[in-house]
Amino acid sequence: MAEPRYDVIAIGNAVVDIIASCPDELIEELQLNRGGMTLVDEARADELYASMPPARELSGGSAANTLAGLSTLGLQCAFIGQVADDQLGKVFAHDMRATGIDFDTPARSGEPATGRVLIFVTPDGERTMNTFLGAGQFLPAEALDEDLIASGSILYLEGYLWDPEEPRRAMRRAIDVARKAGRKIAFTASESFVIDRHGDDFRAMIEDGVIDILFVNESELATLTGEGDFDAGIAAIAGKVPVLVATRSEKGAVAVAHGERAEVAAEPIDAVIDTTGAGDQFAAGFLSGHAKGENLAACLRRGAIAAAEVISHYGPRPEADMKQLMADKLS
C-alpha cells in the first residue's frame, strides 16, 4: 500500500455561513426550528436573510469546518465539494485554500447558486440553522478525483450530504475507492433528521463494517439505535464500528474503540457565544490525535479543547493558534 499523501480527505457541503445574533422572539416570529437544522429552498433563504439582523459571512459546511480545524493543527487535508461559479463560490474556495486545504473541485456553471446557511444565534449561544444546499446538491461522481481519494489516510464523510441523490452516489463511489486503497472511512451522522431519512443506509453500512470511525451526538445516537438511554445506545453500536465517538454537549463525550471505553468532561470556558461548529471541531480535535496514534482518552481531550475554542466566539472555525492551544492545555 502506498504511503498516504493526505491525513484526511473530506467530502461535504460547500456552503457559506451567514451568522447573526438575534432575540429569542425572532425565532418564534419566523417559525424556526430552534436549535435544529432545517433545509430550505432559495426563496425561503432569501426571506430569512431579509429578516436577519446584521450578519457575519464565513465559509462553513460541516466537513469543511472539520478540515479547517485539522489544517490549523498541522494535518494535510483536501476537500471535495460543489460550489457554483458565483461570488460565494469564490469566497468559499479562497477560504479553503487560505486555510491550507487543497480544494480543486471545478465550480458548476448556472443555477442553483452556491449553498448558504442562515444561522440565528440566540442569547444562550444556541444556533438555529436554515440551510439552502444550492450547488452542493449536485456534486457528481464524475467530479471525484479517485487518485486523490486513494491518497488520503482517512476519508471523512458528512451525513448532511447523504440527503441529495447525486452526492450520495458520489460518496458511495468514494467509499469503494478508499476501501480498495486500504484507507479508513470516518462518518459523521450530522443531524437526526438525516438519520430519519437515511437511517437504513447508515445502519447497513455499520452492519457491513464499512465505517471505521463514527461520530454522533446524543440525540443522533438515540435516533440511530432507537435507544432512549445513552449507555444502551452506545452498547448497541460499539461492537460494530472500530471507533465510536458520541458527544454530549456540556456533559462531555464518550468514545469506545475495540472494547476500550473512555470519557472526557466538557472543557470549561468563560461563556458560550455560539455553538456553531462545536461538533465539527470536536471531530477535528479527535482526528488530530487519532492520526498521531494517541490513545482514546487523549483524542477525546483534544476534541473537547477544540470544541471549547470554537464555541467561545462566533463562527464555525478556529480563531486561536490551535497548535499552541493544544500544547498549553495538554502540557
Side-chain angles (χ1 to χ4, degrees), residues 126-186:
E126 185 64 83
R127 82 282 186 274
T128 297
M129 301 189 294
N130 302 271
T131 302
F132 167 59
L133 292 172
Q137 299 177 88
F138 300 99
L139 174 71
E142 298 75 41
L144 299 179
D145 180 338
E146 296 190 359
D147 290 338
L148 173 70
I149 291 167
S151 72
S153 180
I154 296 171
L155 175 66
Y156 183 78
L157 302 174
E158 176 185 327
Y160 283 133
L161 203 58
W162 201 264
D163 202 50
E165 182 179 349
E166 197 163 8
R168 184 166 66 249
R169 286 200 302 268
M171 292 167 86
R172 287 192 184 278
R173 177 60 188 153
I175 289 170
D176 290 341
V177 171
R179 292 194 69 78
K180 285 176 183 174
R183 309 310 189 189
K184 291 180 180 179
I185 309 297

Side-chain angles (χ1 to χ4, degrees), residues 111-123:
E111 298 294 331
T114 295
R116 54 193 182 271
V117 185
L118 299 123
I119 303 172
F120 295 77
V121 182
T122 42

Side-chain angles (χ1 to χ4, degrees), residues 16 59 83 86-101 103 317:
V16 175
S59 292
V83 296
D86 58 15
Q87 183 58 35
L88 283 183
K90 291 180 176 65
V91 168
F92 181 89
H94 170 269
D95 287 352
M96 294 299 282
R97 293 166 187 155
T99 312
I101 299 163
F103 174 51
R317 298 185 179 183

Side-chain angles (χ1 to χ4, degrees), residues 258-282:
H258 310 291
E260 176 194 356
R261 176 174 170 137
E263 299 189 32
V264 67
E267 194 74 9
I269 62 170
D270 292 335
V272 175
I273 303 300
D274 172 18
T275 58
T276 309
D280 303 334
Q281 296 312 321
F282 193 100

Side-chain angles (χ1 to χ4, degrees), residues 60 134 181 288 305 316:
S288 72
I305 292 168

Side-chain angles (χ1 to χ4, degrees), residues 277-319:
D280 303 334
Q281 296 312 321
F282 193 100
F286 185 93
L287 288 172
S288 72
H290 183 81
K292 299 174 189 294
E294 295 186 0
N295 64 44
L296 205 55
C299 292
L300 283 174
R301 181 77 199 288
R302 284 176 169 269
I305 292 168
E309 190 281 336
V310 82
I311 66 175
S312 68
H313 59 75
Y314 284 103
R317 298 185 179 183
E319 292 183 353

